[in-house]
Amino acid sequence: MQGPPPTSPDFELSLLAVPKAVPEVRRTLSNHPLGSPHPDVQLCVSELLSNVIRHLGEGTPVTVRLTTSRDRIRVAVTDPDPRAWPLLRSAGRDDETGRGLALLDAVSLRWGVEQGPDSKTVWCELGEG
């Protein structure tokens, strides 16, 4: 899936994806105009960061970006592995994992992956309201 052309982000943060970073980024976003009135922004960033930790490993360098355009907020997380693409799957009733992308799919207007030569960006778009 291809997203809209990137514009200059309204929020950008580079960090190492470690478990303690997830609540720290959520807290940072709760004080940012794009994250504070919109809990789904915080949810999507948390899920995307958690996916990097789970599938690429702790300490993976990532960049989190939030960009607004018209009536949408774009959440994007870039990591250095262009090969490990996220897959939307159906988690069983007793599964303890596997619901992150389904949750992202449910709260976002659309989502996708952009592959670069040395990275990938998983993104989603949310309505501002």
Side-chain angles (χ1 to χ4, degrees):
M1 286 184 231
Q2 189 68 17
T7 60
S8 180
D10 298 300
F11 174 87
E12 184 172 322
L13 179 64
S14 294
L15 64 139
L16 296 179
V18 294
K20 74 176 191 168
V22 177
E24 290 173 1
V25 173
R26 258 196 322 263
R27 219 174 356 267
T28 299
L29 288 174
S30 72
N31 294 320
H32 190 277
L34 291 179
S36 96
H38 207 306
D40 289 344
V41 167
Q42 296 172 40
L43 173 71
C44 291
V45 169
S46 295
E47 290 301 329
L48 293 174
L49 277 176
S50 295
N51 277 350
V52 171
I53 294 165
R54 180 167 182 79
H55 298 289
L56 298 182
E58 287 188 33
T60 301
V62 297
T63 302
V64 176
R65 290 181 190 84
L66 302 181
T67 308
T68 56
S69 61
R70 295 185 211 136
D71 58 348
R72 296 190 179 184
I73 300 172
R74 179 180 164 142
V75 175
V77 175
T78 301
D79 68 61
D81 191 340
R83 299 161 297 151
W85 279 46
L87 297 174
L88 181 61
R89 61 177 224 172
S90 296
R93 189 178 79 207
D94 296 329
D95 290 342
E96 293 184 20
T97 62
R99 291 178 179 78
L101 283 179
L103 190 55
L104 186 97
D105 188 59
V107 301
S108 67
L109 300 170
R110 64 188 191 140
W111 68 276
V113 182
E114 295 170 352
Q115 185 174 12
D118 299 320
S119 66
K120 77 170 165 306
T121 300
V122 183
W123 59 269
C124 67
E125 289 183 354
L126 303 162
E128 283 196 44

